[in-house]
Amino acid sequence: MKKDALVFAAHPDDAELSMGGTIAKMAAHGLKVGIIDCTKGELGTRGSAEIRQHEAIQAGVILKADFRDNLNIPDGQIEVNRENLLKFLYQIRKYKPKVIFAPYFNDRHPDHIAVSTLAKQAYFYSGVGKIQTHDNGHVQHSYRPSALYYYMQTYEFQPSFIVDITDHFEDKMKSVFAFSSQFFDPKNKEPETFISKPGFVEYIKSRSQVYGFKIGKDYGEPFLCEEAIELDIISKLKHH
Ligand SMILES: [Zn+2]
């Protein structure tokens, strides 16, 4: 049951757009990564919840995610409340991830902000045994991950670190394109949205290039951590 990382996302395709390369990289190195989507994305202008669910499964397979789950919270109505916090605690205590990923807390979409807040609360309260959650009638053991990392969505931040995704950039883009109902397609006559504009895919590519360039690589994905990150000065100086 134990996983290495859990990625919390508000909508199917959020994880791919923001950290698909990092997920593919972790999986390629044998790490077990789970993606937890909070909603089915049923408010999306294009496609339907069923189509997006199918696309999400395909995208997870492309990235070689260990599993993908959905919390079935209504799209556009993710609230920071006890009920949703307990759903997050359940997932963290069930999978005992070493680290969790969540949306950056300052964002254009209220659902992203809510997921960020829920993840931060769960990061702490998952370790508080007196807040009980149950699995098959048994009280779950308290468990606290060692880190919470925020990924970048619409608004930018000064990264705490950048992951080199050069070898996994193609998989990232393939996983993004798995959500074909959402992106630019000249044949699709549904209304245009923020992400279905022809330039959106170029924007995702350019952002990966910008953050890759900052670390001297072709492609990169940025992350923010509110806590200090140790630098192993010895391995840096001896092995680089
Ligand atoms: Zn989203």
Side-chain angles (χ1 to χ4, degrees), residues 95-229:
Y95 294 115
K96 299 179 173 49
K98 291 173 193 146
V99 301
I100 58 175
F101 292 88
Y104 173 45
F105 39 84
N106 187 17
D107 196 86
R108 169 177 171 268
H109 197 313
D111 277 350
H112 298 168
I113 299 170
V115 173
S116 190
T117 306
L118 285 164
K120 184 167 180 175
Q121 291 188 356
Y123 172 49
F124 185 83
Y125 289 124
S126 59
V128 177
K130 284 190 176 168
I131 302 180
Q132 287 193 352
T133 47
H134 297 83
D135 192 12
N136 279 327
H138 298 284
V139 175
Q140 289 183 302
H141 292 293
S142 61
Y143 171 84
R144 188 173 285 151
S146 69
L148 164 59
Y149 300 137
Y150 298 103
Y151 54 80
M152 187 182 283
Q153 296 198 262
T154 38
Y155 295 169
E156 308 218 329
F157 49 73
Q158 178 66 27
S160 305
F161 63 92
I162 293 169
V163 174
D164 170 17
I165 60 158
T166 305
D167 294 339
H168 306 276
F169 178 70
E170 245 175 74
D171 286 338
K172 174 193 175 92
M173 294 317 282
K174 269 189 214 156
S175 76
V176 166
F177 284 125
F179 292 89
S180 56
S181 73
Q182 302 302 304
F183 294 102
F184 179 68
D185 172 0
K187 295 188 290 294
N188 190 330
K189 299 295 176 232
E190 290 184 274
E192 186 178 83
T193 65
F194 180 67
I195 67 170
S196 76
K197 287 188 173 70
F200 185 76
V201 168
E202 285 304 306
Y203 163 67
I204 292 300
K205 184 177 178 188
S206 307
R207 182 185 264 178
S208 302
Q209 287 175 318
V210 166
Y211 287 98
F213 186 79
K214 287 175 190 278
I215 53 169
K217 303 287 162 56
D218 289 343
Y219 299 100
E221 285 171 339
F223 295 90
L224 181 76
C225 181
E226 292 181 286
E227 296 165 315
I229 296 171

Side-chain angles (χ1 to χ4, degrees), residues 11-31:
H11 314 104
D13 80 12
D14 287 358
E16 284 76 9
L17 288 166
S18 295
M19 56 173 294
T22 303
I23 294 170
K25 182 170 188 168
M26 290 189 286
H29 283 80
L31 297 170

